[in-house]
Amino acid sequence: MGKGPGQKTAFVVGAGVGGVATATRLAKAGFDVTVFEKNNFTGGRCSLIHHDGYRFDQGPSLLLLPHLFREAFYDLDTSLEAEGVELLKCEPNYNLWFSDGESFELSTDQARMKNEIEKWEGKDGYERYLGFLQESHRHYELSVTHVLRKNFTSLLSMARLSFLLKVLALHPFESIYSRASKYFWTERLRRVFTFGSMYMGMSPFDAPGTYSLLQYTELAEGIWYPRGGFHRVISALVKVGERLGVTYRLSTPVASVTISNGRASGVTLETGESLSADLVVINADLVYAYNNLLPPSSTASALSKRAASCSSISFYWALDRQVPELTTHNIFLADHYRESFDSIFKEHLIPDQPSFYVNVPSRIDPSAAPEGKDSVVVLVPVGHLLDETGTGLSPSHPYNQDWATMVAKARETVISTVRDRTGADIGAALVHEIVNTPTSWKETFNLDKGAILGLSHSFFNVLSFRPKTKHARYEDLFFVGASTHPGTGVPICLAGAKITSEQVLLASGVRCPWTAADAVAKGKGGGAGVKDIDRIQAGPVLSNVHIVVLVLVLLVLSVLWQANLLAGVGKGMWR
């Protein structure tokens, strides 16, 4: 679709989740949008790997916070279903396997959860679990309302009264592990309900307590998987965008963003071609972009020094038979839980005994593997790269990252651990292997330090402290993605795309074609057209029984007062 008269042009650098969603939203608002992507596929880390009939999700394999996905399509006047995306519910959520032969099944089924928890912590344990759900639900709802739907353009944004009144309830200054320890009194269950911090690229002993919201969405809303692979969601957004006129230029790396008279005015491609636009949105890795696509600055240097998330050694295994011992999502937890995270986040290595995640997509979606066979994805969290060359061999650091040795160690550990704990002999069934390491993550996706989840999500790396969605110095230059506000993860990047898009529209003087309240109000009571029987109404503060008791108490006090029997009570309080 060509540019219309007076139509504004927008360039998006990078076709990751945030870039695709932002491009589609801007096209919906009337922009002429072109997306430039260095790889020959869209989705960034949220992409697929194929081999001889086997399909693997290269990155994300769990769809969480489904309402944010539905909202993204609803804002574009369509739906997941209308775009042919079918979500499959994973049940159970996970099987967690321990070295002592025990396992724990996490589920949205409360009857199953009650049995699992009472097995280890008795009847009181289940009551405490409900307390944990209540707190994590509060973290979830407050975060969606006050963080994921709000931009934090300066430190003053954190001074919003609505945010300040709720901030302590989010427990940002306590770790997930310390909050979980309040509700779970055995070390086993503390591990069961804190391993999810790995999805933020953080240790549960460092991640803010707020992030228990991840456990909540899994337990209350479930874990979902798009039939055909996670990239089905991204490809659906791409198609919606193309219908609205978005142009995708794949295998087209950008060399630099053009800065003219203090504003972003286009891009220069690695071929030397220069193109002009009214504005630029960068979806490339933020630290990479500041250091490689923009003029040198102190901000670029400062970003390079910020704490980064972990990386991973990821195996993509084609098996010549099925392994029924494994469910769709499996977690294998290290015996030395804290020490294993210290090895990742302090020594930037692979632990002697790592915790790791095993995904069998063919268990929930048989199309992921040939009939009678399984595809398996293994993610072993490891430290990010320590040096600028990408080799990880840093003479100044006490530990050298020998990735060839660490990959061999990870492979051996995973195969033996899975066999010992479940009885499944993956090694004997393995017929083909593909591997991603911190080095390949960096090379393929320009990820700084090979950190798969961008910058860390510690307190001073989120909210107003996180890099902004608009460049502080250059006009018409915006950012979206894992390392800018609100943070990492596919649903969070979708929320970020909405925030950035609305900021672009406001700066450009263009009307927003969706309203902030549309998706929030959809499906909730209290709106126009709601039947009286369905209208949400607050119940009375006091029941009739409470009122009768209160009246009787007041009558008794009145009688005692008249009889002067309260003299001296409360040191004169009554007189």
Side-chain angles (χ1 to χ4, degrees):
M1 184 181 293
K3 178 183 178 182
Q7 187 179 25
K8 291 182 178 291
T9 55
F11 288 166
V12 178
V13 181
V17 174
V20 168
T22 300
T24 308
R25 285 182 177 276
L26 293 182
K28 171 71 176 175
F31 281 77
D32 177 45
V33 184
T34 301
V35 181
F36 300 92
E37 168 57 47
K38 73 179 285 282
N39 292 309
N40 63 358
F41 54 85
T42 60
R45 285 151 283 176
C46 190
S47 50
L48 298 175
I49 297 174
H50 294 274
H51 171 76
D52 198 19
Y54 294 88
R55 187 191 71 233
F56 309 95
D57 295 283
Q58 183 156 210
S61 57
L62 308 95
L63 192 149
L64 306 178
L65 288 88
H67 69 92
L68 291 180
F69 289 84
R70 298 190 184 282
E71 178 178 318
F73 284 84
Y74 178 77
D75 284 349
L76 298 167
D77 296 327
T78 185
S79 67
L80 288 164
E81 293 76 14
E83 301 303 324
V85 179
E86 179 186 2
L87 298 185
L88 306 172
K89 188 173 186 296
C90 301
E91 186 60 48
N93 287 354
Y94 303 94
N95 271 356
L96 287 90
W97 305 88
F98 295 87
S99 65
D100 60 2
E102 299 290 351
S103 64
F104 190 101
E105 188 178 80
L106 279 168
S107 172
T108 54
D109 185 331
Q110 285 305 302
R112 296 166 82 171
M113 286 300 295
K114 187 173 187 292
N115 287 334
E116 286 286 333
I117 290 169
E118 290 182 355
K119 176 181 177 181
W120 303 107
E121 297 201 1
K123 299 290 184 182
D124 291 344
Y126 184 69
E127 184 174 353
R128 293 194 299 272
Y129 165 72
L130 295 177
F132 171 79
L133 276 185
Q134 183 180 44
E135 177 176 295
S136 56
H137 166 75
R138 191 159 50 245
H139 290 167
Y140 172 90
E141 294 293 348
L142 292 177
S143 294
V144 169
T145 301
H146 298 284
V147 179
L148 299 186
R149 299 192 188 281
K150 304 287 186 181
N151 207 345
F152 286 74
T153 57
S154 70
L155 285 174
L156 289 178
S157 300
M158 292 177 64
R160 286 192 289 254
L161 183 60
S162 60
F163 177 74
L164 289 176
L165 291 173
K166 306 294 185 180
V167 67
L168 291 181
L170 290 169
H171 300 104
F173 306 112
E174 298 177 73
S175 71
I176 287 180
Y177 188 86
S178 66
R179 292 305 305 170
S181 296
K182 174 182 176 183
Y183 299 100
F184 304 108
W185 293 359
T186 62
E187 180 60 22
R188 189 184 302 273
L189 293 202
R190 289 172 182 175
R191 296 180 182 187
V192 165
F193 290 96
T194 60
F195 75 86
S197 66
M198 292 191 294
Y199 300 146
M200 307 298 294
M202 295 187 71
S203 163
F205 300 96
D206 297 321
T210 311
Y211 296 129
S212 67
L213 64 89
L214 293 172
Q215 279 73 37
Y216 174 78
T217 184
E218 291 177 348
L219 293 164
E221 299 175 332
I223 293 176
W224 300 81
Y225 184 76
R227 187 185 297 278
F230 209 125
H231 187 259
R232 284 288 296 114
V233 176
I234 313 307
S235 62
L237 279 174
V238 168
K239 289 177 182 177
V240 174
E242 288 177 331
R243 291 203 302 265
L244 293 169
V246 177
T247 299
Y248 281 88
R249 295 186 59 175
L250 305 181
S251 303
T252 308
V254 170
S256 64
V257 174
T258 306
I259 304 297
S260 304
N261 300 317
R263 60 173 291 271
S265 58
V267 298
T268 299
L269 306 181
E270 285 193 357
T271 60
E273 181 183 5
S274 293
L275 301 165
S276 298
D278 293 308
L279 62 93
V280 176
V281 179
I282 295 179
N283 180 227
D285 180 83
L286 191 78
V287 180
Y288 170 85
Y290 266 93
N291 283 277
N292 295 274
L293 303 183
L294 299 176
S297 66
S298 58
T299 300
S301 301
L303 285 173
S304 297
K305 297 175 183 176
R306 282 208 188 193
S309 61
C310 68
S311 189
S312 78
I313 293 174
S314 295
F315 297 105
Y316 310 90
W317 288 340
L319 306 187
D320 63 5
R321 62 176 177 82
Q322 292 184 335
V323 282
E325 298 89 342
L326 297 176
T327 55
T328 305
H329 305 292
N330 306 267
I331 299 291
F332 294 81
L333 294 177
D335 285 336
H336 303 291
Y337 193 59
R338 181 189 286 267
E339 291 81 358
S340 70
F341 285 106
D342 287 346
S343 181
I344 296 169
F345 295 101
K346 295 181 181 179
E347 299 170 7
H348 302 288
L349 297 172
I350 180 174
D352 291 331
Q353 186 196 52
S355 296
F356 58 90
Y357 162 66
V358 177
N359 169 229
V360 187
S362 48
R363 191 66 66 252
I364 184 73
D365 180 5
S367 69
E371 187 176 357
K373 302 178 181 180
D374 270 336
S375 52
V376 172
V377 179
V378 180
L379 187 150
V380 184
V382 296
H384 59 64
L385 296 170
L386 293 174
D387 70 338
E388 297 178 356
T389 67
T391 64
L393 300 176
S394 177
S396 63
H397 196 277
Y399 306 98
N400 280 335
Q401 298 172 310
D402 182 348
W403 293 114
T405 300
M406 284 197 275
V407 166
K409 175 183 177 180
R411 181 188 302 110
E412 178 183 354
T413 300
V414 169
I415 291 174
S416 63
T417 301
V418 171
R419 183 180 59 245
D420 294 344
R421 298 189 187 185
T422 73
D425 192 353
I426 293 180
L430 178 58
V431 294
H432 186 77
E433 175 184 85
I434 300 169
V435 184
N436 263 325
T437 67
T439 302
S440 61
W441 288 120
K442 178 178 180 178
E443 292 172 349
T444 305
F445 300 107
N446 288 335
L447 301 182
D448 181 64
K449 302 182 183 70
I452 58 174
L453 297 166
L455 294 176
S456 168
H457 287 75
S458 57
F459 180 76
F460 289 103
N461 262 324
V462 295
L463 305 174
S464 294
F465 303 110
R466 201 161 186 81
K468 306 299 181 287
T469 52
K470 183 179 184 298
H471 198 282
R473 180 179 176 186
Y474 305 129
E475 294 298 319
D476 302 320
L477 181 56
F478 302 86
F479 302 94
V480 66
S483 288
T484 190
H485 178 76
T488 195
V490 178
I492 310 305
C493 286
L494 288 177
K498 185 170 187 175
I499 289 173
T500 297
S501 298
E502 292 178 351
Q503 190 176 25
V504 169
L505 299 182
L506 182 63
S508 304
V510 176
R511 186 186 68 84
C512 182
W514 59 87
T515 59
D518 273 350
V520 180
K522 185 176 175 60
K524 294 186 177 181
V530 176
K531 298 176 182 179
D532 287 342
I533 196 172
D534 299 318
R535 194 173 301 279
I536 295 176
Q537 304 177 57
V541 176
L542 297 177
S543 69
N544 291 336
V545 173
H546 289 127
I547 293 173
V548 170
V549 171
L550 182 60
V551 169
L552 289 175
V553 169
L554 290 175
L555 286 174
V556 170
L557 289 175
S558 177
V559 170
L560 293 175
W561 172 273
Q562 295 297 326
N564 203 31
L565 296 176
L566 293 176
V569 175
K571 298 182 178 179
M573 177 179 177
W574 300 95
R575 290 191 177 275

